[in-house]
Amino acid sequence: VDTLDVLAGRLPDGAVSTDAGLLRDRAIDSWALALLRRCRGDELPVPAAVIFPARTEEVATVLAWAGEAHVAVIPRGGGSGVCGGAAMPAGAAGGAGWVVLDLSRMNQITAVDPVSQVVTAGAGVRGDQLEDALAAHGLTVGHYPQSIAASTVGGWIAASSAGQASAGFGAIEDVLLGLVAVLPQGGILRCRPVPRSAAGPDLRRLLVGSEGTLAVVTEATLACRARPAGWDWLAYGFGSFPALAQGLRDAGRAETGAAVIRGYDEADAQLSFAALGHTSGCVALLGFPAGPPGLAARKQAASAALERAGSTGPLDASYGEHWWQHRNDAVATYASIMGPERAFGPGVIVDTFEVAGLWSDVPRLYTGIREALAAHAQAVLCHLSHVYPSGSSLYFTFLVSGADDRDAEPRYLAAWAGAARSCAAAGGTLTHHHGVGRLKAPFLAAELGPEGLDVLKKIKMALDPGQIMNPGVLLP
Amino acid sequence: VDTLDVLAGRLPDGAVSTDAGLLRDRAIDSWALALLRRCRGDELPVPAAVIFPARTEEVATVLAWAGEAHVAVIPRGGGSGVCGGAAMPAGAAGGAGWVVLDLSRMNQITAVDPVSQVVTAGAGVRGDQLEDALAAHGLTVGHYPQSIAASTVGGWIAASSAGQASAGFGAIEDVLLGLVAVLPQGGILRCRPVPRSAAGPDLRRLLVGSEGTLAVVTEATLACRARPAGWDWLAYGFGSFPALAQGLRDAGRAETGAAVIRGYDEADAQLSFAALGHTSGCVALLGFPAGPPGLAARKQAASAALERAGSTGPLDASYGEHWWQHRNDAVATYASIMGPERAFGPGVIVDTFEVAGLWSDVPRLYTGIREALAAHAQAVLCHLSHVYPSGSSLYFTFLVSGADDRDAEPRYLAAWAGAARSCAAAGGTLTHHHGVGRLKAPFLAAELGPEGLDVLKKIKMALDPGQIMNPGVLLP
């Protein structure tokens, strides 16, 4: 009996698919390099099957089977990852021995507890579905990644997601109260939802950023808050990136309750606010959820901090409204560049590199990474996307243009290698919220050190001795 | 050669002590049962030595030696733990094969970065020392546990500490940006300080709550904030515990920036505010760090939420000032009851049980645990000590009175067993911030489930195959 038939026999009808189009579709995620390879016609390895569990117990059945059959499992949420965390390895000859575990049928909102303001949802619930369901209760999780319409609750946990309003609403670990996950040997881990616990190392937190290498999250309980009726915006101009960074740092520390705090260097501002006729200077953007007490005083304090840091003056509030309206457009833009449309033509690859560091390291991270990328890229933009009292993320967008699609690949990889080296040298972390995937796994040792990498590998071996969980992702 | 002599030969002079008084002192922490046993004259096991490393590399030397010599190591911060996390096991015959690793000489503030507002400190730095040093820079970590003058930076991480102002300033995991730790086999783990990272499961977070079972943290980098010039207080009365809980829940969700949010049931209020002549009703207490924009509006919003929940009306602001002034007195009171003074006489044991749960579980946690404790205890008080949008901690204080010190022990243990069962049944976690130690290890399986416990045990075995790190603590 074929081993896939064995699995199919243990699952409901229709749970195991070997449809060729589906295999091809689920063989990669949204990693630019894989998209480029597909565009240029490379024969990419596809999995032997795509499996659609509908219940936690079915996931347990799949993992137990995978252990017996020595099959590697790639858990998949919305496929919106940009680092190859849900991509087949390039070297997997034909893909035999690999299956994709697609969680999209685990898309039930299990419960909304209005007293505690928490929601329990299946791992496959997409962000837009989650928010639609919560809107009916006047609630929001406040987790708004750019990929919200394409990414899932389980993916957020696996990839250590942070939404665009994380300065106010927290990143995924701040709202993750409980979860259900299937362990590699088929056991079911249940972490009860509580606001905080000191009962040992937090197993919820262990799975945040684990990228499907340690377990498959099947359900999560997330903290919500009252849904804001609207947003108030502040936008300020800055003549230089250092002044912009200082302004955002000080505004972010001013206890204003701004949930969105962003800053664009001149190149990124020109692109991001082109529709408003923005031609020069950096842009600081702060978004305040409507309703908190003392909002006028809060906005005034933020303005004062920005002005003290040397702002060239306030910009029109339309900057904020424009950004809010178009905040997720980049997803479609990216797809039009890296997809069959090839909006910029062949030979062009666009990607992002988002790092984080302490404020004292931000200037070096900015100049160092920009230079490293510019050595291979035709355009480099940067914005500060998530601001903390202690530091910030820096979100670089870069465009590499080769003679053709084949020429673009080594240029792209050289840009990555240089940028990763520069990030490590300046004390940054090489991902704030996109994760590691296959793309950044080779650079992880430089960040964690041999001992840190060894700790992760030992944990991986202890929980997944058969090495069935997403091999090659995260850990080199 | 005696194995301790081997170790002494590898360390600076004076690093290994076998002074009898010191061994006796470091054999236990502040766990009530150990204090009772000492008071009644039990012969408690003492370690073979107390080791005082002054540098990370010396800690590595100690752990490498312990692995070779098959000696168990109990890492020790300030000894303020109340669950036996730094206590010799009762059954360790004579204590041969056990040493205490006392980190009190690792008490240097390594660096203050005023640009990033972060501080790097040795694991043995006490909270009061840390705050004194930061005050000179106008900064504070804002981590104010009741034990602040007795507990250490390393202990905070190991025990998953949360300070009294955590509603505003976060718990230890929220301010922990980087760390250095020694792994059981002597390797040195360095997690660089960054505001956030998605580079795999967070190894910083793995050590939070690990209670010395996975590694020894030797240095940490913590986020700071501007030191508030003072505090503003609101106090409100409530006629019932459910109304109090609802009021705190709603005030906590009102985006007011209150950093201290506490609520006392009637019995706890009578004790806590006796000096103010408080005789009846529950008390809600909110503390606002001075200086945020719109403070008046914020306080008004908090008041409105408390009034809507059915407050019996505002209380004098002296409630807040009194609490702030005396917030750490319980440490001395506890010592006077459980120490040689025996303020309440022999046969009396006072302890605390602090749990957490979702708001929808808070009523059941309150009544269930109170009843379970009251079945064995002569007095049970409760306050909500840490309030979240999704739930709250419940901090029970209970007094067990036996015919004598021997009679008190089984009563005390029965109270614990009943309370832990009741907590699990109501969906709570059996510790919000005190940790597990030896006291609660037997109850951990009921909370984590067999799979959760198995995950922790596998991680423990993978990182500490020689099982030298604090055996018997945390994991049963």
Side-chain angles (χ1 to χ4, degrees):
Chain A
V1 186
D2 184 281
T3 183
L4 278 176
D5 292 340
V6 171
L7 176 62
R10 296 181 191 169
L11 294 174
D13 282 354
V16 178
S17 173
T18 54
D19 174 83
L22 191 69
L23 298 185
R24 188 171 175 283
D25 182 69
R26 301 298 201 274
I28 61 173
D29 55 12
S30 303
W31 178 20
L33 185 56
L35 295 172
L36 179 84
R37 287 170 175 164
R38 171 152 294 169
C39 281
R40 76 187 181 201
D42 286 18
E43 197 64 55
L44 300 181
V46 299
V50 179
I51 303 162
F52 294 94
R55 299 171 58 239
T56 295
E57 291 71 17
E58 292 169 18
V59 174
T61 299
V62 174
L63 297 196
W65 163 85
E68 294 163 21
H70 305 291
V71 168
V73 178
I74 301 179
R76 184 183 180 90
S80 64
V82 290
C83 308
M88 289 285 291
W98 292 76
V99 297
V100 166
L101 187 67
D102 184 311
L103 294 152
S104 58
R105 290 188 192 167
M106 301 198 66
N107 61 350
Q108 305 298 308
I109 310 282
T110 315
V112 176
D113 170 354
V115 172
S116 310
Q117 294 191 343
V118 301
V119 60
T120 302
V125 171
R126 282 202 325 268
D128 55 347
Q129 296 169 330
L130 181 69
E131 286 298 323
D132 286 352
L134 289 172
H137 299 268
L139 297 174
T140 178
V141 170
H143 189 77
Y144 308 144
Q146 204 169 50
S147 63
I148 188 163
S151 60
T152 61
V153 168
W156 295 346
I157 297 167
S160 192
S161 176
Q164 291 160 328
S166 70
F169 300 161
I172 192 66
E173 65 272 19
D174 299 309
V175 296
L176 177 65
L177 304 181
L179 58 77
V180 178
V182 180
L183 297 164
Q185 294 172 298
I188 298 175
L189 173 69
R190 294 175 193 280
C191 298
R192 65 177 67 166
V194 291
R196 183 182 196 260
S197 171
D202 189 350
L203 297 178
R204 302 159 189 83
R205 194 66 185 79
L206 180 69
L207 297 187
V208 172
S210 62
E211 302 190 358
T213 65
L214 299 179
V216 178
V217 174
T218 59
E219 189 179 277
T221 300
L222 305 178
C224 304
R225 58 180 58 224
R227 199 171 189 79
W231 289 77
D232 259 294
W233 298 99
L234 282 182
Y236 275 79
F238 280 89
S240 75
F241 181 82
L244 169 74
Q246 192 189 322
L248 288 179
R249 184 196 69 187
D250 295 347
R253 288 175 180 166
E255 312 287 339
T256 68
V260 174
I261 308 180
R262 302 171 69 82
Y264 297 79
D265 75 359
E266 184 161 26
D268 207 336
Q270 282 170 353
L271 182 73
S272 301
F273 303 104
L276 302 180
H278 184 88
T279 52
S280 76
C282 306
V283 173
L285 198 64
L286 279 81
F288 301 80
L295 180 56
R298 292 169 189 246
K299 289 177 68 176
Q300 200 169 12
S303 295
L306 296 169
E307 281 164 5
R308 268 197 309 272
S311 166
T312 53
L315 301 170
D316 198 84
S318 62
Y319 274 74
E321 286 143 20
H322 175 81
W323 176 79
W324 182 251
Q325 205 65 37
H326 295 276
R327 68 191 186 279
N328 300 333
D329 287 2
V331 176
T333 306
Y334 177 73
S336 81
I337 298 168
M338 298 309 305
E341 296 178 42
R342 312 302 294 278
F344 289 1
V348 171
I349 184 163
V350 169
D351 202 358
T352 59
F353 182 40
E354 40 76 59
V355 309
L358 298 179
W359 283 117
S360 51
D361 294 326
V362 163
R364 274 203 307 158
L365 287 165
Y366 179 68
T367 54
I369 294 173
R370 210 165 51 133
E371 275 170 29
L373 289 171
H376 307 277
Q378 277 60 50
V380 183
L381 324 173
C382 180
H383 63 272
L384 305 178
S385 58
H386 300 76
V387 167
Y388 300 81
S390 62
S392 179
S393 68
L394 296 94
Y395 193 110
F396 296 89
T397 304
F398 63 100
L399 180 150
V400 171
S401 179
D404 57 28
D405 278 341
R406 209 148 295 277
D407 180 51
E409 178 166 337
R411 294 174 186 270
Y412 167 81
L413 292 175
W416 260 102
R421 257 197 312 274
S422 179
C423 176
T429 173
L430 55 71
T431 171
H432 173 271
H433 64 278
H434 282 176
V436 176
R438 296 189 182 280
L439 167 61
K440 299 174 209 167
F443 309 121
L444 197 61
E447 173 154 341
L448 301 182
E451 293 290 348
L453 196 61
D454 187 55
V455 168
L456 283 186
K457 285 186 171 174
K458 282 179 171 161
I459 293 173
K460 164 75 171 168
M461 277 303 292
L463 299 185
D464 180 22
Q467 301 284 291
I468 59 167
M469 303 298 300
N470 220 0
V473 163
L474 180 58
L475 297 172
Chain B
V1 187
D2 184 279
T3 183
L4 278 176
D5 292 339
V6 171
L7 177 62
R10 297 181 191 169
L11 294 173
D13 281 354
V16 177
S17 173
T18 56
D19 174 84
L22 192 68
L23 298 186
R24 187 171 177 283
D25 182 69
R26 301 298 201 275
I28 61 172
D29 56 11
S30 303
W31 179 19
L33 184 56
L35 295 172
L36 179 85
R37 287 170 175 163
R38 172 152 292 170
C39 280
R40 78 189 180 201
D42 285 16
E43 198 63 54
L44 300 182
V46 298
V50 179
I51 303 162
F52 294 95
R55 300 170 58 241
T56 295
E57 290 70 18
E58 292 169 18
V59 174
T61 298
V62 174
L63 297 197
W65 162 84
E68 293 163 22
H70 305 290
V71 169
V73 177
I74 302 178
R76 182 183 182 90
S80 64
V82 291
C83 306
M88 288 285 291
W98 292 76
V99 297
V100 167
L101 186 67
D102 184 309
L103 294 152
S104 58
R105 289 188 193 167
M106 299 196 68
N107 60 350
Q108 304 298 308
I109 310 282
T110 315
V112 176
D113 170 355
V115 172
S116 309
Q117 294 191 343
V118 301
V119 60
T120 302
V125 171
R126 282 201 326 267
D128 54 347
Q129 296 170 329
L130 180 68
E131 287 299 323
D132 285 350
L134 288 172
H137 298 268
L139 297 174
T140 177
V141 170
H143 189 78
Y144 308 144
Q146 204 169 52
S147 63
I148 188 163
S151 59
T152 61
V153 168
W156 294 346
I157 296 167
S160 192
S161 176
Q164 290 160 330
S166 71
F169 301 159
I172 192 67
E173 64 272 20
D174 299 309
V175 296
L176 178 64
L177 304 181
L179 59 76
V180 178
V182 180
L183 296 164
Q185 295 172 298
I188 298 175
L189 173 69
R190 294 175 194 277
C191 297
R192 66 177 68 166
V194 290
R196 183 183 196 258
S197 172
D202 189 349
L203 297 178
R204 303 160 188 82
R205 194 67 184 80
L206 180 70
L207 298 187
V208 171
S210 63
E211 302 189 358
T213 65
L214 298 180
V216 178
V217 174
T218 59
E219 189 178 279
T221 300
L222 305 178
C224 305
R225 57 181 58 227
R227 198 171 190 81
W231 289 78
D232 258 295
W233 298 98
L234 282 182
Y236 274 79
F238 280 90
S240 75
F241 181 84
L244 169 73
Q246 192 189 322
L248 288 180
R249 184 195 68 188
D250 295 348
R253 287 174 180 167
E255 311 288 342
T256 68
V260 174
I261 308 180
R262 302 171 70 83
Y264 296 80
D265 77 359
E266 183 160 25
D268 208 335
Q270 283 170 349
L271 183 71
S272 301
F273 303 104
L276 303 180
H278 185 87
T279 52
S280 77
C282 305
V283 173
L285 197 63
L286 279 80
F288 301 80
L295 180 56
R298 293 169 188 245
K299 290 177 68 177
Q300 202 168 12
S303 294
L306 295 168
E307 280 164 6
R308 269 197 310 273
S311 166
T312 53
L315 300 170
D316 197 85
S318 62
Y319 275 74
E321 287 143 21
H322 175 81
W323 176 78
W324 181 252
Q325 205 64 39
H326 296 276
R327 68 191 186 279
N328 299 333
D329 287 3
V331 175
T333 307
Y334 177 74
S336 80
I337 298 167
M338 298 310 304
E341 294 179 41
R342 313 300 293 277
F344 289 1
V348 171
I349 184 164
V350 169
D351 202 358
T352 60
F353 182 41
E354 40 76 59
V355 308
L358 298 179
W359 283 116
S360 52
D361 295 327
V362 164
R364 275 203 307 159
L365 286 166
Y366 179 68
T367 54
I369 294 174
R370 212 165 50 135
E371 275 170 29
L373 289 171
H376 307 278
Q378 276 60 49
V380 183
L381 324 173
C382 181
H383 63 273
L384 304 179
S385 58
H386 300 75
V387 167
Y388 300 83
S390 62
S392 179
S393 70
L394 296 92
Y395 192 109
F396 296 90
T397 304
F398 62 99
L399 181 151
V400 171
S401 178
D404 57 28
D405 278 339
R406 210 148 292 278
D407 181 53
E409 178 166 338
R411 294 173 185 271
Y412 166 82
L413 292 174
W416 261 100
R421 259 196 312 275
S422 179
C423 176
T429 173
L430 56 71
T431 171
H432 173 271
H433 63 277
H434 281 176
V436 176
R438 296 190 180 280
L439 167 61
K440 300 174 209 169
F443 309 120
L444 197 61
E447 173 154 339
L448 302 183
E451 293 290 349
L453 196 60
D454 188 54
V455 168
L456 282 187
K457 283 184 173 176
K458 281 177 172 161
I459 293 173
K460 164 76 172 169
M461 277 303 291
L463 299 185
D464 180 23
Q467 301 285 292
I468 59 167
M469 301 299 300
N470 221 358
V473 164
L474 180 58
L475 297 171

